[in-house]
C-alpha cells in the first residue's frame, strides 16, 4: 500500500478524533469506536467489537479556597467525591517525598491527622498513607513549572476491583494545583496558619465500553498483540489519537497479507478513568488464547508529538537490544537514546500470561521541561491543550516505520528476538541492587544462585524456542509481578521484583516486633515464590535441551 494512503488514513483519524472528548463511558468515546470500526469494515479488515462493563470515575470539579482566595485546581479520578466540601487547617508535609521508618510513622500520622495536606507528591501510595493516618484531604503541588493542570488518577486498583479491593479506594478528596500556586501557599504557611476548603465532584458509574480488536490470522496459531488506548482526557490528540491512527494504519498495511504469525490490534477503553480497565478485561476474558499463543505485546502510546525528537524503548529486558535498535537505526540512522525497563502503566496488564516479549516506543524531548510522562514529554499532556497542533506528522511517520519493521520480523520470522542471557543478567543486577537497599537479614543469595544456574544452563545448552519462551514468561512473573496470575498487582509498588521492593528502606532497629514479623513474612513468601518460578523455568529448559 502506498505510503501516501497510509499517511492520509492517519491524518483522517486525527481529524475525526480531534474534537471528540473520548472519556470512556461517554458518547464521544463510542463515536470514536464507531469510526474505527467503520474504517475496518470499509477495508474488509476482520475485527470483533466486544463490549466490557467498566467501573469508571470521572473527575468533574475541584475547588480550593484558602483564606478566602480561590486557587485553580483539578480533582483526580477515583478521589473521594466531596461536593459539600471539607474545611480544615492546611499543613505542608515536608516529608511527603521521604521514606519514613516504621518507628516514626505514628509521629508523622499525628501531624497530618485532621488536616488538609499540601504536598509535593500525589501518588496512590501516598494517598493511601494519608487516608490511613486520618488526613482529611490532599492538595498536590505539580512538580514542574507549566501553569496547565493535568488530569490524573489516584485509583489504587489495576482494572476492575474485586470485593476485597473496595477498602483501598480513597475516602479523602484529592486535588492538584500548579507549581506557582503551591510555592505561594508554602510561603504563606511559613508565616501564618491557614485554613482551607477543598471541594471535589466526581461521577462514579458502571458503563459498557467498546473494545474493538482486529484479528488477522497467520498460518500458525501464534500471534502478536499490538495495542493502543482510544479513550482520552479532553481531545487527547497526542494521548492517544496518534497511537490509534498508527495502529489503524498498521492493521490496514498487514491486512490481506499471508502472515506466519497472526496480528491482533486492540483499541483499549478505560485506560484513563478505569485504571487500565479495558486491557485488564481483555486479559481476563481471553486468558487461554493469550497464554497459549501470544508471543509479543507492543503498546503504542503518544507517538508523533511535537518536540519528541529522541526515542526511548521501554522493554521487559528479554528482547535483544540489537534487534530493538535495528528498526530504529534503519529509520533514523541511530539507535534509541536508551532501552529501559517497563514501568507500571501503559496497559501493561499481561504479566501473568506467559507472553515473552513486552515493549513500547517512547518519545522524549531534547531538554525535558515538564514532568509529563506522556505526549513526548509535552507540557500539554492530560490537559485541554492536547490538540491537533501538538502533532508532528514527520515524527508520526517515523514511529509508524519503526513499528512496521518490528512487526515485519515478528509476523514472518519463525524465531523470536529473545536474549535470555541478557535478561538473566539484568535480573541478577536488580537483585544485587535490592540487596543493598534492604536489611541484611533478608538475604537474596538463594535467588541469585538460581539465576546463576539458569545462566550456566542457557550459555552451555541450546534450548528450544517454545521452552525458552515459556521460561521467559515465568521470569516475567518473577520480575514484574508480586501476586497470583489472576489478580493484577496494585497500581503502585513497581520496580524490579515488586514484592521484594516493599522491604526497601526498613531496618530492624527501627521496627516494632509486630512490623518486623510482617516484613519477615513478606520476604519469605516473595523469596520462595520467585525461587519456585525460577526452578520451574530451569526444569522446562532442561527438558528441552
Amino acid at each position: 500500500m502506498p505510503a501516501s494512503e497510509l499517511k492520509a488514513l492517519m491524518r483522517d483519524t486525527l481529524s475525526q478524533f480531534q474534537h471528540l472528548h473520548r472519556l470512556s463511558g461517554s458518547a464521544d468515546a463510542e463515536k470514536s469506536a464507531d469510526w474505527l470500526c467503520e474504517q475496518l469494515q470499509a477495508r474488509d479488515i476482520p475485527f470483533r467489537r466486544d463490549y466490557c462493563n467498566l467501573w469508571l470515575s470521572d473527575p468533574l470539579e475541584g475547588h480550593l479556597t484558602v483564606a478566602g482566595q480561590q486557587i485553580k485546581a483539578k480533582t483526580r479520578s477515583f478521589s473521594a467525591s466531596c461536593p459539600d466540601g471539607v474545611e480544615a487547617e492546611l499543613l505542608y508535609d515536608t516529608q511527603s517525598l521521604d521514606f519514613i521508618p516504621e518507628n516514626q510513622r505514628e509521629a508523622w500520622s499525628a501531624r497530618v491527622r485532621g488536616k488538609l495536606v499540601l504536598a509535593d507528591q500525589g501518588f496512590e501510595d501516598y494517598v493511601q498513607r494519608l487516608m490511613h493516618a486520618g488526613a482529611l484531604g490532599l492538595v498536590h503541588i505539580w512538580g514542574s513549572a507549566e501553569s496547565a493542570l493535568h488530569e490524573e488518577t489516584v485509583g489504587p486498583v489495576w482494572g476492575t476491583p474485586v470485593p476485597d479491593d473496595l477498602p483501598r479506594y480513597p475516602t479523602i478528596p484529592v486535588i492538584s494545583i500548579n507549581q506557582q500556586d503551591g510555592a505561594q501557599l508554602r510561603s504563606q504557611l511559613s508565616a501564618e496558619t491557614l485554613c482551607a476548603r477543598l471541594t471535589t465532584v466526581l461521577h462514579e458509574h458502571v458503563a459498557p465500553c467498546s473494545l474493538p480488536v482486529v484479528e488477522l490470522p497467520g498460518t500458525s496459531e501464534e500471534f502478536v498483540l499490538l495495542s493502543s488506548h482510544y479513550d482520552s482526557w479532553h481531545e487527547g490528540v497526542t494521548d492517544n489519537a496518534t497511537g490509534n491512527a498508527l495502529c489503524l494504519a498498521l492493521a490496514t498495511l498487514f491486512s490481506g497479507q499471508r502472515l506466519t504469525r497472526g496480528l491482533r490490534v486492540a483499541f483499549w477503553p478505560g485506560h484513563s478513568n478505569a485504571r487500565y480497565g479495558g486491557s485488564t478485561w481483555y486479559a481476563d476474558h481471553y486468558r487461554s488464547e493469550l497464554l497459549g499463543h501470544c508471543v509479543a505485546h507492543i503498546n503504542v502510546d503518544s507517538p508523533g508529538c511535537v518536540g519528541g525528537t529522541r526515542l526511548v524503548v521501554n522493554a521487559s529486558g528479554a528482547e535483544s537490544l540489537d534487534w530493538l535498535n535495528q528498526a530504529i537505526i534503519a529509520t533514523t540512522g541511530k539507535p534509541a537514546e536508551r532501552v529501559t525497563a517497563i514501568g507500571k502503566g501503559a496497559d501493561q496488564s499481561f504479566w501473568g500470561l506467559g507472553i515473552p516479549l513486552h515493549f513500547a516506543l517512547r518519545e522524549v524531548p531534547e531538554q525535558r521541561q515538564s514532568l509529563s510522562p506522556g505526549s513526548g514529554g509535552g507540557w500539554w499532556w492530560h490537559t485541554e491543550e492536547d490538540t491537533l497542533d501538538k502533532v508532528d506528522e514527520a515524527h508520526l511517520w517515523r514511529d509508524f516505520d519503526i513499528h512496521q519493521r518490528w512487526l515485519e520480523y515478528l509476523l514472518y520470522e519463525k524465531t523470536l528476538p529473545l536474549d535470555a542471557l541478557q535478561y538473566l543478567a539484568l535480573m541478577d543486577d536488580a537483585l544485587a541492587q535490592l540487596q543493598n537497599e534492604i536489611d541484611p537479614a533478608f538475604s537474596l543469595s538463594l535467588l541469585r544462585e538460581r539465576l546463576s544456574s539458569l545462566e550456566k544452563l542457557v550459555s552451555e545448552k541450546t534450548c528450544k524456542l517454545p521452552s525458552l519462551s515459556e521460561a521467559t514468561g515465568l521470569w516475567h512473573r518473577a520480575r514484574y509481578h508480586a501476586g497470583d496470575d489472576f489478580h493484577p498487582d496494585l497500581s503502585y509498588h513497581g520496580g524490579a521484583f515488586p514484592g521484594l521492593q516493599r522491604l526497601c528502606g526498613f531496618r530492624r532497629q527501627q521496627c516494632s516486633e509486630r512490623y518486623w514479623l510482617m516484613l519477615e513474612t513478606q520476604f519469605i513468601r516473595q523469596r520462595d515464590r520467585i525461587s519456585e518460578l525460577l526452578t520451574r523455568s530451569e526444569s522446562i529448559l532442561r527438558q528441552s535441551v
Side-chain angles (χ1 to χ4, degrees):
M1 176 173 288
S4 58
E5 291 186 24
L6 295 170
K7 289 180 180 179
L9 176 58
M10 290 197 287
R11 197 174 295 118
D12 287 346
T13 305
L14 299 180
S15 178
Q16 288 290 327
F17 281 25
Q18 67 169 318
H19 297 309
L20 297 176
H21 292 236
R22 303 181 306 282
L23 201 59
S24 289
S26 70
D28 275 3
E30 290 304 306
K31 285 180 183 178
S32 63
D34 289 343
W35 194 84
L36 288 168
C37 293
E38 288 165 5
Q39 301 311 301
L40 296 170
Q41 194 166 22
R43 292 165 173 78
D44 293 322
I45 299 173
F47 73 97
R48 63 184 299 153
R49 183 175 186 170
D50 284 328
Y51 290 89
C52 51
N53 284 325
L54 298 179
W55 184 4
L56 308 165
S57 174
D58 304 340
L60 303 179
E61 297 179 30
H63 302 282
L64 176 64
T65 304
V66 181
Q69 177 188 1
Q70 285 273 355
I71 296 174
K72 186 179 178 183
K74 279 186 176 181
T75 190
R76 293 191 167 169
S77 182
F78 290 108
S79 161
S81 186
C82 298
D84 295 330
V86 178
E87 190 166 346
E89 180 185 337
L90 187 66
L91 171 80
Y92 176 56
D93 182 11
T94 58
Q95 294 180 286
S96 67
L97 298 173
D98 299 338
F99 171 79
I100 300 177
E102 196 258 340
N103 63 356
Q104 298 177 26
R105 289 193 171 185
E106 180 51 41
W108 173 83
S109 295
R111 285 195 296 274
V112 302
R113 190 172 298 128
K115 304 294 197 302
L116 292 175
V117 176
L118 180 71
D120 295 309
Q121 76 126 311
F123 290 124
E124 302 94 320
D125 52 343
Y126 183 63
V127 174
Q128 297 284 305
R129 281 171 50 201
L130 289 174
M131 182 172 74
H132 292 298
L136 297 182
L138 169 62
V139 180
H140 171 225
I141 305 169
W142 188 254
S144 49
E146 66 268 23
S147 61
L149 292 176
H150 306 273
E151 307 287 353
E152 257 290 18
T153 181
V154 288
V157 176
W158 194 287
T160 298
V162 295
D164 285 350
D165 291 324
L166 282 177
R168 299 183 183 278
Y169 280 90
T171 56
I172 61 173
V174 178
I175 63 169
S176 62
I177 61 176
N178 66 34
Q179 191 179 64
Q180 295 87 345
D181 289 332
Q184 178 63 33
L185 286 178
R186 284 199 306 267
S187 177
Q188 289 178 253
L189 283 171
S190 67
E192 60 181 319
T193 299
L194 295 174
C195 184
R197 183 176 181 81
L198 198 163
T199 305
T200 56
V201 180
L202 293 96
H203 176 44
E204 283 198 6
H205 58 119
V206 173
C209 301
S210 293
L211 200 169
V213 181
V214 172
E215 296 183 338
L216 304 181
T219 56
S220 80
E221 290 186 312
E222 292 182 339
F223 66 88
V224 175
L225 176 63
L226 178 74
S227 75
S228 63
H229 69 89
Y230 73 87
D231 62 318
S232 70
W233 296 111
H234 311 291
E235 293 187 22
V237 178
T238 65
D239 189 12
N240 186 34
T242 50
N244 307 148
L246 188 152
C247 286
L248 180 59
L250 285 168
T252 302
L253 175 66
F254 287 105
S255 177
Q257 296 189 27
R258 182 174 174 80
L259 307 177
T260 302
R261 293 189 179 96
L263 175 64
R264 294 190 186 183
V265 185
F267 298 92
W268 307 129
H271 171 96
S272 303
N273 60 336
R275 206 61 165 126
Y276 314 120
S279 56
T280 305
W281 182 93
Y282 193 79
D284 288 339
H285 287 77
Y286 291 89
R287 178 178 177 82
S288 61
E289 295 176 32
L290 292 162
L291 187 62
H293 307 301
C294 187
V295 300
H297 173 222
I298 309 172
N299 184 250
V300 183
D301 201 341
S302 298
C305 299
V306 167
T309 54
R310 297 186 177 185
L311 297 176
V312 171
V313 181
N314 292 343
S316 71
E319 300 80 8
S320 161
L321 293 179
D322 287 342
W323 179 81
L324 288 171
N325 273 315
Q326 279 175 8
I328 298 173
I329 293 169
T331 300
T332 69
K334 57 183 180 181
E337 182 94 351
R338 61 184 181 276
V339 178
T340 62
I342 293 176
K344 298 203 86 168
D347 287 293
Q348 298 297 337
S349 303
F350 305 98
W351 294 119
L353 293 168
I355 302 170
L357 303 173
H358 303 252
F359 58 96
L361 185 70
R362 294 287 181 265
E363 301 179 344
V364 294
E366 288 288 334
Q367 291 187 326
R368 182 173 286 278
Q369 296 179 325
S370 170
L371 290 180
S372 298
S375 297
W379 61 266
W380 58 85
W381 170 81
H382 282 197
T383 75
E384 296 85 345
E385 302 302 321
D386 186 2
T387 47
L388 189 61
D389 58 306
K390 309 305 189 302
V391 176
D392 185 314
E393 289 194 9
H395 287 168
L396 184 57
W397 183 250
R398 171 201 64 190
D399 298 346
F400 172 90
D401 189 60
I402 292 168
H403 283 84
Q404 177 186 343
R405 294 174 187 277
W406 279 334
L407 285 172
E408 284 175 342
Y409 184 97
L410 293 172
L411 297 177
Y412 293 107
E413 298 295 328
K414 292 183 178 180
T415 59
L416 288 175
L418 288 169
D419 190 334
L421 283 175
Q422 166 194 271
Y423 193 24
L424 292 167
L426 288 172
M427 288 193 288
D428 186 61
D429 288 345
L431 287 175
Q433 182 176 338
L434 258 175
Q435 189 68 81
N436 293 328
E437 296 173 1
I438 62 179
D439 192 284
F442 303 131
S443 172
L444 302 178
S445 60
L446 172 65
L447 300 182
R448 299 191 69 186
E449 289 168 8
R450 292 276 185 272
L451 289 175
S452 178
S453 179
L454 281 164
E455 287 186 61
K456 183 178 180 182
L457 172 61
V458 172
S459 63
E460 293 179 352
K461 307 292 184 180
T462 301
C463 303
K464 295 177 182 177
L465 181 58
S467 297
L468 192 58
S469 296
E470 186 178 357
T472 303
L474 294 174
W475 300 342
H476 289 331
R477 289 181 172 107
R479 163 63 177 79
Y480 287 96
H481 204 38
D484 70 74
D485 293 343
F486 294 89
H487 294 83
D489 288 350
L490 297 174
S491 61
Y492 52 98
H493 296 320
F497 305 98
L500 293 172
Q501 291 283 344
R502 299 294 303 275
L503 307 171
C504 288
F506 292 102
R507 293 295 181 265
R508 188 168 194 161
Q509 65 271 22
Q510 296 175 313
C511 294
S512 64
E513 288 186 8
R514 185 182 71 167
Y515 201 79
W516 184 254
L517 178 61
M518 289 190 281
L519 292 175
E520 284 183 322
T521 305
Q522 175 78 10
F523 167 69
I524 291 167
R525 290 177 181 174
Q526 286 296 318
R527 179 199 62 191
D528 292 353
R529 173 185 171 273
I530 295 166
S531 177
E532 286 184 16
L533 289 167
L534 297 179
T535 300
R536 281 170 56 193
S537 73
E538 183 169 352
S539 176
I540 289 167
L541 292 176
R542 288 194 183 280
Q543 291 174 20
S544 77
V545 171

